[in-house]
Amino acid sequence: GENVEQHPSTLSVQEGDSAVIKCTYSDSASNYFPWYKQELGKRPQLIIDIRSNVGEKKDQRIAVTLNKTAKHFSLHITETQPEDSAVYFCAAHGDAGGTSYGKLTFGQGTILTVHP
Amino acid sequence: EAQVTQNPRYLITVTGKKLTVTCSQNMNHEYMSWYRQDPGLGLRQIYYSMNVEVTDKGDVPEGYKVSRKEKRNFPLILESPSPNQTSLYFCASSLEGGNTEAFFGQGTRLTVV
């Protein structure tokens, strides 16, 4: 089945700095890579996603890059703000023909803390 | 309001006493799934359903059952709960398959003593 590894497990930055979170996946048939943000005591919510036919996607201060050859994808947050503090999860969805078809596999999560 | 509703929000039970956590969505989504969240392990998929009467095992299905008799409901059943099933559980739904945005319920905090 799919295996998603996420690093780092914790990340501490100063307000205004950039933050980068990286994930690797194992199933080459995976085709969809979302990122979720979970604030303390809340449910996860989608912040950005990317499909396997795209290399990069941006939405204001956040961007995601995908390297299919290396099987890794990354979340980039620029000009961080204290309200960006949360747990971030990457995930990979298995497509038909792979070992994890239909499954959505999450990484272990990154606790991001932005200090004012 | 479009939402995924789980009940109960909190539950403390004893080992071996069967329980059901309900999940309902009002967005006519085809795909529904259950996850458990444990510190350091992220969200792990228990079961998923691509449509009515179709369910499949996720990565950690042992000790759990599900059913999808109606499109809107996807209950999670623990026939004989054990302490290692103490966790935070989330139900989620997506419009089409697991490759579209997942909308999560509020979560159910389960403690098995």
Side-chain angles (χ1 to χ4, degrees):
Chain A
E2 175 73 277
N3 183 42
V4 177
E5 296 287 334
Q6 182 173 344
H7 298 280
S9 56
T10 61
L11 180 58
S12 183
V13 300
Q14 289 295 129
E15 183 177 2
D17 288 349
S18 295
V20 180
I21 303 170
K22 299 181 179 181
C23 289
T24 61
Y25 61 98
S26 61
D27 186 354
S28 56
S30 290
N31 65 345
Y32 174 68
F33 307 91
W35 287 87
Y36 287 83
K37 176 183 180 182
Q38 185 180 29
E39 297 177 348
L40 190 62
K42 302 281 185 68
R43 70 193 81 185
Q45 290 188 298
L46 181 75
I47 54 170
I48 196 167
D49 56 13
I50 192 167
R51 299 192 181 275
S52 56
N53 58 348
V54 176
E56 183 175 359
K57 184 176 179 181
K58 286 184 179 180
D59 183 3
Q60 299 183 338
R61 295 187 298 108
I62 60 174
V64 58
T65 58
L66 171 65
N67 184 325
K68 284 181 59 180
T69 303
K71 290 190 283 188
H72 68 71
F73 55 112
S74 300
L75 177 71
H76 304 253
I77 305 174
T78 59
E79 300 173 23
T80 54
Q81 302 167 1
E83 50 265 39
D84 294 329
S85 297
V87 181
Y88 291 81
F89 293 99
C90 64
H93 173 264
D95 197 10
T99 59
S100 54
Y101 173 57
K103 291 183 181 179
L104 186 62
T105 304
F106 283 81
Q108 298 85 350
T110 296
I111 302 172
L112 173 64
T113 304
V114 180
H115 299 281
Chain B
E1 179 188 355
Q3 58 187 0
V4 179
T5 304
Q6 289 177 233
N7 280 297
R9 293 289 310 279
Y10 302 92
L11 180 60
I12 301 174
T13 190
V14 296
T15 299
K17 185 176 181 182
K18 181 179 178 179
L19 66 91
T20 299
V21 184
T22 63
C23 175
S24 180
Q25 51 94 4
N26 63 359
M27 296 172 280
N28 201 36
H29 285 175
E30 290 186 352
Y31 187 97
M32 297 187 74
S33 56
W34 276 101
Y35 301 88
R36 59 178 291 174
Q37 183 174 11
D38 302 288
L41 298 177
L43 292 153
R44 293 181 292 167
Q45 193 173 47
I46 303 170
Y47 269 95
Y48 62 99
S49 169
M50 291 195 178
N51 216 322
V52 176
E53 301 292 2
V54 178
T55 62
D56 286 288
K57 295 179 180 179
D59 292 319
V60 288
E62 296 78 18
Y64 304 94
K65 286 176 57 177
V66 293
S67 67
R68 188 91 181 273
K69 297 177 182 176
E70 307 165 282
K71 198 171 188 178
R72 62 183 293 127
N73 296 322
F74 191 46
L76 179 70
I77 303 158
L78 284 71
E79 295 266 0
S80 183
S82 62
N84 65 9
Q85 292 179 299
T86 292
S87 186
L88 177 60
Y89 291 87
F90 284 101
C91 177
S93 72
S94 306
L95 181 61
E96 295 176 353
N99 59 349
T100 52
E101 179 179 1
F103 292 86
F104 285 82
Q106 322 95 300
T108 296
R109 174 75 65 182
L110 173 65
T111 302
V112 184
V113 297

